[in-house]
Amino acid sequence: QLTALYESGKVVFDPADCLMIENEACLESIVDSDDTLASRNAQYLLAGLISKSDPKRAHTLYESAAEAGHKTAICYLQKIYAQGYDGQKPDFHKSVTYGLECPFSPPFKRFDRKHFAKYEKKKGHKAFALSESGFSNFAVEISSPGWAATLAKLYCDNRLKRKAEGMECQVINVDGKFVEQTNMKPLPEQVNSVEDLVKNKAKKAFKKYQKVESSKVFVQSASGAWSWRSSSDKSLDQLKNEALKSCENQWESRLGGFACKVVNLNGEWVN
């Protein structure tokens, strides 16, 4: 009877009615309608109806419904990308991206969206670390993604130590992409070239430092602090002391085991 009513064209159906008669054309007509709410619901239901016969189109419909704000479609895509789709490998980044919008099964127990939004705006190589308790920290404008991951975890873990012992952070995002695992690059024990400077700002400053013709000193902490001094009136020892003091006043240098060191004197690298 429902099928007959639909075929008569005299009754307006909603997506649930179309699903009851399992009629694709009925759902298609609602997808193309001007009713946004009904359209996204019809996209979701039509995707489920054709998921076996036309999985690629079903996936497109799920994504379209999710973009329109269909919460169940969003959560469905979180699961699909976590498992892999239509012969494709799992996509952790997309799974988490959808998962953060899913109200039923978020990918992280606690997630500070405002803090993450600040991180997203930053440029250069960067990484974001998070603990199960919700503490987070990030490293930005770093010379390499590996160092960014190492520093993000270091910064986050040291923040946690002031809060509670035995808690550890995990790197969840590198260069704007959510990651399940990441390769962390050991911080430089020695600085033999510009490439061993940890932060991009340090690299930019070193270009200015190179142009100076008077006595000069460049210092760095492997945890990211840095500074430099130059003068034609002061001794190298005075410049060293001033540069080291400036570097040591930066919070990165106060992390355990990462003292500031002289890395360049008058344009020559100091091992």
Side-chain angles (χ1 to χ4, degrees):
Q1 290 180 339
L2 282 173
T3 303
L5 279 171
Y6 168 70
E7 291 176 348
S8 72
K10 297 179 180 179
V11 179
V12 176
F13 272 50
D14 68 24
D17 295 329
C18 294
L19 191 64
M20 287 178 66
I21 60 176
E22 296 186 349
N23 190 301
E24 292 181 28
C26 179
L27 288 166
E28 291 275 14
S29 65
I30 299 174
V31 168
D32 296 332
S33 72
D34 295 329
D35 188 332
T36 304
L37 178 61
S39 177
R40 75 184 186 194
N41 288 337
Q43 286 176 331
Y44 174 75
L45 294 175
L46 179 58
L49 191 61
I50 67 171
S51 60
K52 292 184 178 179
S53 60
D54 193 350
K56 288 186 177 180
R57 181 163 183 247
H59 188 74
T60 300
L61 286 165
Y62 278 129
E63 288 196 323
S64 182
E67 289 175 5
H70 195 287
K71 296 299 182 183
T72 307
I74 290 172
C75 297
Y76 179 82
L77 288 169
Q78 175 193 12
K79 182 179 179 181
I80 283 293
Y81 280 116
Q83 297 174 344
Y85 161 74
D86 195 29
Q88 301 295 317
K89 293 180 180 180
D91 190 322
F92 187 78
H93 174 70
K94 286 189 175 181
S95 176
V96 172
T97 300
Y98 280 114
L100 291 173
E101 302 301 322
C102 175
F104 312 120
S105 55
F108 308 115
K109 290 183 179 180
R110 295 176 180 85
F111 188 76
D112 188 336
R113 290 178 180 273
K114 290 183 179 180
H115 195 212
F116 188 76
K118 291 180 181 179
Y119 159 81
E120 285 186 299
K121 295 176 182 178
K122 302 296 184 179
K123 298 179 180 180
H125 292 302
K126 57 186 179 180
F128 189 94
L130 176 71
S131 75
E132 289 187 2
S133 63
F135 291 112
S136 59
N137 215 330
F138 54 76
V140 297
E141 297 185 358
I142 309 301
S143 297
S144 75
W147 278 344
T150 300
L151 289 172
K153 179 172 170 54
L154 175 68
Y155 297 164
C156 186
D157 283 340
N158 273 270
R159 182 183 176 188
L160 283 177
K161 286 177 181 178
R162 298 200 299 270
K163 302 291 182 179
E165 293 296 331
M167 304 173 75
E168 191 172 350
C169 294
Q170 176 185 358
V171 175
I172 62 169
N173 191 290
V174 177
D175 284 352
K177 186 173 183 179
F178 289 104
V179 294
E180 207 166 5
Q181 294 180 335
T182 184
N183 294 323
M184 296 188 183
K185 183 178 178 180
L187 296 174
E189 294 182 3
Q190 293 184 340
V191 178
N192 299 310
S193 72
V194 178
E195 296 307 310
D196 294 324
L197 298 177
V198 173
K199 288 194 172 181
N200 289 337
K201 287 184 178 180
K203 285 186 173 182
K204 290 179 181 178
F206 193 81
K207 290 182 179 180
K208 295 180 180 180
Y209 169 87
Q210 285 179 305
K211 296 177 181 179
V212 175
E213 295 182 358
S214 59
S215 297
K216 54 190 177 181
V217 178
F218 203 100
V219 303
Q220 174 180 260
S221 159
S223 56
W226 59 273
S227 185
W228 68 281
R229 290 289 186 274
S230 67
S231 175
S232 57
D233 301 323
K234 297 179 181 179
S235 68
L236 274 179
D237 285 338
Q238 287 177 304
L239 294 176
K240 286 181 189 178
N241 291 334
E242 289 179 8
L244 287 169
K245 185 176 180 180
S246 174
C247 181
E248 288 165 359
N249 283 335
Q250 298 169 36
W251 66 269
E252 293 98 332
S253 70
R254 294 194 288 273
L255 303 176
F258 296 96
C260 293
K261 299 177 181 179
V262 174
V263 297
N264 192 286
L265 283 174
N266 289 332
E268 298 293 330
W269 297 104
V270 179
N271 292 324

